[in-house]
Amino acid sequence: MSQAVDAADAGKLTAAQAALAAEHAAVYGYGVVGGRIGRERRAEARTAYDAHRARRDALTRRVRDLGGRPVAAAAAYALPFAVPDAAAAVRFAAVLEDRVAGVYSDLVRASSGASRRDAAGALREAAVRAVRWRGESVAFPGLAERADAAPGSATPTP
């Protein structure tokens, strides 16, 4: 029975580490967004940046609570496309949120109790932000981008 518990804890830790890596990437990505976004949406970008920093910090504690060593942020991340202006920054912000939602969907699946509620809340928040940035919704937030992801790839790269 202890092996089953250990496997479950390992799954929780793996999913939490992936979510932490996604939050590191989102924090970096919103730095790019903030440098290009128009004045009319700057407060929205700052709010999202702050939300991702708070989630990152909470996940760092969660990983430690699970007995893991939190994954570190990369010095830089490859962007999926050039972000030369405000329009591209808005598109990029939507991509960031889609990627974060995808990783949180994995964390929801791996978690239970309060941790699952927290992960579901993070998934919902990312999905709502993606809709705000994109101006339209997707049927299953957190899953649409998974169809295009490489098998086994859980860590988004902005």
Side-chain angles (χ1 to χ4, degrees), residues 52-80:
H52 286 292
R53 288 180 54 208
R55 290 281 181 192
R56 177 202 62 198
D57 295 346
L59 282 164
T60 298
R61 288 187 298 275
R62 174 88 173 119
V63 166
R64 285 189 182 119
D65 290 347
L66 289 168
R69 183 175 177 198
V71 64
Y77 295 84
L79 304 181

Side-chain angles (χ1 to χ4, degrees), residues 15-37:
Q17 289 279 36
L20 176 56
E23 290 294 5
H24 284 312
V27 168
Y28 178 90
Y30 270 103
V32 173
V33 169
R36 298 286 190 246
I37 198 74

Side-chain angles (χ1 to χ4, degrees), residues 29-52:
Y30 270 103
V32 173
V33 169
R36 298 286 190 246
I37 198 74
R39 174 168 279 156
E40 67 282 354
R41 297 196 78 179
R42 194 165 291 147
E44 187 177 356
R46 179 59 190 217
T47 298
Y49 174 78
D50 290 342
H52 286 292

